[in-house]
Structures are given as C-alpha cells and as structure tokens.
Amino acid sequence: MILHGRKAETAELAALLDRAGTGLSGVVVLSGPAGIGKTALLDHTARRATGMRVTRTAGVEAEQELGFAALHRLLLPFLGLRGRLPGPQRDALETAFGLLRATPPDRFLVGLAALTLLAEAAADLPVLAVCDDAQWMDRESLDVLAFVARRLYADRVVLLFGVRDDDRALRRLTGLPELRLEGLPDAEAAALLSAVLDTDLDHVILSRCVAWTHGNPLAIMELGRGLVTGEAEPVLGEPLSLDRRLRERFLRQVGDSDALTRWILLLAAADPTGDPDLVRRAAAVLPASAGEIDAAFDRAERRDLLTSHPGGHFRHPLIRSAVYGGATSSRRRRAHAALAEVTDPLGDADRHAWHLAAAAAGPDEGVAAKLEAAAERARERGGHLAQAAFLRRAAELTQPGPLRNGRLLAACGAALTAGAPQRAEELLELLTPGLGVALLDIQAMRLRGFLNVMLGREGAVAPLLRAAGMLAGLDPPASRDALLEALDAAVVVARIGPGTSTEQVARAALAAPPPPGEPTVADLLLSAHATLVAVGYPEAAPSMRRGLLAMRADVAEHGDAARWFLLGAVLALDLWDIDALGDVSRRFAAAARRQGALRMLQAGVHGLATHAMFCGRFAVAEAYFAEFMDVAAAIGADMRFAGTGDAMLHAWRGDRERTLAAVAVQAGPDAERPGGLQVQFARAALVVLELGHCRYAHAQAAAEVVYDDDPPHYGGGVLPDLVEAAVRNDDLGTAGRALARLGERAEASATPWALAVLARSRALVTGDEHLYREALDRLAPTPLATEKARGHLLYGEWLRRRRRRAEAREQLRAAHRLFTGMGAAAFAERARAELAATGENARARDVSTVRDLTPQELRVARLAAGGTTNQEIAAELFISTSTVEYHLRKVFRKLGVTSRRQLRDALHAWPATSG
C-alpha cells in the first residue's frame, strides 16, 4: 500500500524501528483530526516491523469506563511471561486484569509491571506496541501506557500512539514526542484521489475536490468512492465539517442496507470487544438463520463498512459512531439487551452488567445492584474510574432518595481516588438536595473539601470543618480525622476563602474531646499542628516532638501515618530536625516505592531533596527534584508548580534567573495560588539568593515579608537570614526583633540545628566570638554542610573586619572549600572576595568527573554502589532492568571504573558536600 505524501513521517517511524534493533527504545504520539491518516501510518509501520514482535490495541468509545481493558488487550500476547516479574509487580498486574483477588494495586505499580513485561518480551526480539484511538482508551490504561512511555529508554520497545485531537488524551500524553499530521499537499491529495478513481479527472473538478477535503486522506477516499458510485457530486458548495460530511455519507450507506445488515452493524457498534462471533450470536434474536447472518456480514464487508480483520469490525471509527449515534434510543436499548443475553454473566460479569444498564429504559434496582457489584470488582482491580462509572450508572437507575445519593457519593469518592476531580465535581452536582440524611450530608461536605484541595481552590477548609463539627456527636474519631484533613488542606492550599481561617480549625481541634486510649499518629499530629497554629511555637514544641517521634516509630510508614507524611515532614523542618527529616523521608519514600504509591512517593522524594539540599549535596538534591517532577508528571500534577518546586536549590546555587522565575510562579504578585508551603519555600529562596549575592537590602526586604506574615509553618526558617541581612544593613532594631523571635523558638526546639543558628545569629548581633565557635561546634556532628559553610563564612568575615587576617583566612578557606564543593556559586564568590581582602587568592577546585553524570545516572550509580541489585534499582526508580544496565555502562565509562567496588570508591572519593 502506498501512503501518499507521508515520506517524512514513514521515515521517522522507520528510524524508530531501526533504533529498537540497536537496543534503544522510542515513543511517538501521532496526533491529528479524524481521517488524517494516523491508522494508515500505524498499519504501515506494523507491516514494516519485520523481525519484531507486534502487539496492538485500540480505544473503543463504548469501553472507556472499563478500567485496564485496553492495556489487557495490548499485553495479552505477553501474559505468559508474567512469571518473570517481581512478585509485587506480578500481583499488581494480575489484580488489575482480574486474574487475582488481592489489595487494589496502585495504578503506577501496574505501570511498572507493564514496563517490565514489555522489556521481558523484547529480550529475544524487539517489540512494537501500537495503541490506536487513544482518545477512547479507558483512563487507567492510558495513564499506565503514558507512564511506560516516559520510562522506555534501553528496552528495545517502540510504543506508538494514535490520538485524535482530544484535550483529555493529549494532556495525559504531554511531554512525549509528538508527530502532528496535517492534510496532504495538493499534489499528493490529487494523486490519492486519482488512485481511488483509477482515472484522471478534469483539472478544475480535481482542484475543487482537493480543496473541499482539505487534504484529509479519509475524506479524499470517501469522496472518490462516492464519485465512482454516483453518490457524490463533483462540484461541491462551501465545505461543511468533514466529520459531519463523512458521518452523513456513512449513515446513507447504512440506511441503504437491508434490515438484517443494519441490525448487525448496530450490534457491532454497541459491542466493544470486536468479537464477530458474539455479534453473530446476538443477531440470532431475529428470526434469521446462520446462513442469512453470514450473508449479511458479507454484504457489510462488500459495502466497505465492516472489515474481516480480526477484532477490527468497522473500517473506520467514524462509521461506528455514525451507526450508533444514528440509531434511535429504543433500537440501541434492544441491541444492548441482545448483547447482554449472549454475554457470560459469570465469566464477563462487568460487560454483562453494563449491557443490561444500557438496555434499561428507567429505574431498575436489580440492574443497579449488578452495577454496584461490578463497581466493587473494579475497585479491587484498582480501576477507580471504572468503579465511578459503574456507580454513576447504578445511581441513574435508582429512584431519587438516600440510596441514589449514596451511590453518587461513592462514585465521587472513587473519581477523587482516581485523580479525576472534574468528574467528581460533575457527580456532586447530580445529588438530590434536601434529603436531611446527616451522614450523607457530611460525606458530601468532606468530598467537596477534598475536591477543592485537588483543584487548588479556596473553600477547601470550610466544608471539612463543618463536617468535623457535624461528626463530633456522631463519630468523634471521624470528627478528629476531618479536623486533620482541614488542617492538612490549610497547609497545602492556604487559599482558605472568606469566613474560615486556619486558626478556627486549630481552635476546634483543641476544643475537641481527647481521643480515648492511646493516641494515634493522626491524633498526635492534630494536637501538634493545632497548638502551633492557635497557641504558639514554644507551647507546641513538646507535642511537635511527640508527633514526629510517632512518625519515626517502627513500621509507621505502613499504617495510617502514610496519609499524613507531609504534615510529619513539616514538623521536622519547623523543629530544625535534619535527622528526622531524612529518616521519615527515606522510610516513607521507600514504602511508597514498594507499594507503587506515587502520590506518597512524590512527597517523600521532595523531603529527600530538601534534606540533601540542606546537607550541601546539591547533585543528589537535583536528582531527587528531577524524580519529584517525573512523578508529578506521571500523576497528572500541574507542572507549572511542580516544575518550580526546586526554587531553593537554584537560590543556593546562586542562579538568579531560575530562582526568580520559580519565585514568580510560586509566590510572585501574579501567582495564581497564593499561600501554601511551596510559597514559603519560594519566599525563603529569594532571601538566600540575595544573601549569596551580597544584596543585603533586598534580602532584608524579602525576609521582612515572611517576618510580618509569620506563617505558622516554616515561618521560623527565614529568621536567621533576616538577622544576617539586617546586621549587614546596620538595622539592629530589626535584627533584634528577629533574634528575639528566633530565640524563643530555637530554645523550645533545642535541636543542634536550631541552637546553632541561634548562637550564630546572637554572634552577629553582639559580636561575641564564643558564640561563633559555639555555632560551629553544635553543627560539627550534623550533616548540615550549608549551615557549616555559612558559619565559617560569617565567622571569617567577623575576624577579617577585626584585622585578624590569619584566623580569618582559616575560616574563609573552609567556607570557600565547602561552598565550592557543593556548587553554591554565589556564596563561594562571597567567600573568595573576603579571602582576597585578606591578601589570599582562592584556587579553583576540581570536584571530579562525577559532575558529568546525569541526575538519573547518579541515582543509578549510588544505588549500585550501595549493593542494590539491578532489579531492585529498576523497581525503586520505576524503570526497566535493561535501562539500569544501559545507565551503568555509561557510568562505568564516564568514571573509568570496571566494577561496583571501584564505583563505590569513586563516589566515596567525591567530596561529601557535593554528592
């Protein structure tokens, strides 16, 4: 088959196939309007894939709500290899496909299993995986395949998507290489039309035909067929929508068919499986023999409506849409009833229930109960969007009342679990108001609060607080849970809205009756954060320590504490407890990796990045921030904000342009979401940036914004910086006020970090040399390289100003060495300038070729050097073992080592502050 006008596209896809032969992978998203040639290009590429294993799937409009259905069809040829998968991955995949009953798997652990399975299948022969009509794939399958696509690298797998112009689908595939298909050039369009007609047309008529089709290959071919059969006039008026023109043509073709053929076409349109035998059995509800049914199939194929391709059914998806949309509702219900009759209610219970629901003309509790059972099976597989769809349809078949509202609320909860807040909002709008059922009203309030948190809207806190109040007399533990949800929302979103404040939530939490028995982690966190917000830091410090201790307890990461990791990590920062921050981040991130729980992993790796940054290991922090952004993309987070979460790292590196860009997104005057933890980090980053560049007036102004606001969370982190900036500006009044606030908090915290920055700040204000030394002594046993370097710098600056040059050089050399090693360019320059003022020129320092490693290579290298196996590295980093091996080969070559022991030595020799 000749593809007219697609030489560049076919060459690009052929290059991907060649690339797979060399051991590398490739991904392309073919996008464009209906009929533009996506399927033809995918078919052409599949035929070219000689010496490869080819597997295909396609989205089906009627199957969009059946979770993991498209993924199951794609991986079906390789499921015999699933025994090679690590146990958790195998269990997740089998549970998703209904082969195993187990705890619902995280969608992204299913993604890792799919990636590993494709890589295993490609071990012998490269694999071409084709996903057409991705806009109609179920959300779970599309998310998993997008996850896989972002992690393919050295796996010998080519993954191709064909997707119609559809914002939802294209948003899930954002960031993947895209090949946009446009209409054919006029000459190629004319050549295609002439080929269809098998004759030459008059030039004027040919030009008009080409102009009408806009170069759309399907429109050209359908016009050509119409001209051959006399169904189309060669001189056409103003062009209408191509979709509409094509649908009208297909409907005319269907309408001209006999009754039995039309019935078979409608059954095929209503059946998502692509199983012609199922359609044949359903067609038998008419008084027609098997021979007559076969003849009707033949007629549909001769009219080029159906194909004989296995599972293909319709020649083009527009034909399916035209057939189904053009039928009356009563005929559609009759078709679904016939399909339900021949669908196995045990072996394929979900489709059986779905067809019964589509056949129902009104409320039907029997069918609704079957849909509810299907929703539970979907939940067990981790198909939360399918669960929401089944529950919504069950609600539609339920009489108005509490049962209907309960089903809608359950559907809303499933949609939120699936990360689909817009769909959840639609479901909430369907609730019947004024039923007066307290528990249902409370559930609706909590769901509205969660919805607003996910969408970053104001108004997240108020419904959660009202729900907590209503639960107080009904279910006190649930009331406390709702209060903690409200506090969590206030910390994360901070755009609370009028009429509600964080203080109100905190006071309500403190007024609530104490929990019976031993307090849980959630109870301790609620008490800590409520006291911090409503009373003050010194009074909250003891409960903050208890909450953090509970987060660090054995196996806490496997219980309910996992829900509240972020609140625990915030306590560690507010207490200036670097060891606790590292411990909880490592443990909770590791648990998230084992469970495939990417949302918890996202928070965990951000904690790890922050820990590494304060420890001066900027390359490690960069690698963790890269993983944070990677995970954020995988779960569909808003990358405008996730992509600027490393503002503080840029500030420490002295990168003004990137810091200011990140601050503008997170906390600038035009920022779309004021408040929240990221805003406090962005504000603090601006202060660090200006201090590094010796712009002390700017640093003080930025720090005073935080000081005046005094946010309860991370408001103390900027106080030592404000003291330093104010002292450098000879503003001892401001420095004294900031020092007083710092003193009461640092003494209440009493961690080495807190007491060290307090001593250093007092030294700046009083000029007491013993306090400079005390600060360095307190920091000595800690990993806080950034604070150590600043302590040496400030002490050295103080000594130089007192003309004690020899002693100043000692401190300034240490500061310059540390700042240079970690890559804090602005602070290193500040130390170099101070050294030069003592009469010494600092030398540039070689920090080894480890800097040549990419963040991903560094992550792989460190895990390998620590004794982690390739399979364990693959599971931890959500990549395949073949990609791990590829990165390790590059690491060995870059570092000039040949074994893991040498690798460990090479990384160990690299300055600790750098990596």
Side-chain angles (χ1 to χ4, degrees), residues 390-435:
F390 281 124
L391 287 168
R392 175 175 182 161
R393 186 65 181 125
E396 290 169 350
L397 297 181
T398 307
Q399 294 285 359
L403 180 58
R404 181 179 184 274
N405 272 12
R407 284 167 171 165
L408 284 171
L409 289 170
C412 177
L416 287 174
T417 301
Q422 288 82 10
R423 188 168 302 186
E425 191 165 35
E426 292 173 10
L427 291 162
L428 284 176
E429 295 305 317
L430 298 175
L431 292 173
T432 303
L435 294 181

Side-chain angles (χ1 to χ4, degrees), residues 419-460:
Q422 288 82 10
R423 188 168 302 186
E425 191 165 35
E426 292 173 10
L427 291 162
L428 284 176
E429 295 305 317
L430 298 175
L431 292 173
T432 303
L435 294 181
V437 180
L439 287 176
L440 290 180
D441 291 342
I442 292 167
Q443 188 180 357
M445 287 179 194
R446 294 178 78 173
L447 288 171
R448 288 189 190 280
F450 293 142
L451 177 67
N452 288 333
V453 170
M454 292 184 72
L455 293 174
R457 293 176 179 165
E458 68 178 34

Side-chain angles (χ1 to χ4, degrees), residues 463-528:
L464 292 169
L465 182 57
R466 286 199 301 274
M470 294 176 69
L471 282 167
L474 298 172
D475 188 345
S479 175
R480 294 178 64 82
D481 204 46
L483 285 167
L484 192 53
E485 289 165 355
L487 271 175
D488 188 43
V491 170
V492 173
V493 179
R495 186 187 287 174
I496 295 175
T500 312
S501 67
T502 311
E503 289 77 13
Q504 278 181 269
V505 181
R507 286 195 294 271
L510 294 177
E518 193 70 21
T520 65
V521 173
D523 292 326
L524 293 169
L525 291 176
L526 179 62
S527 174

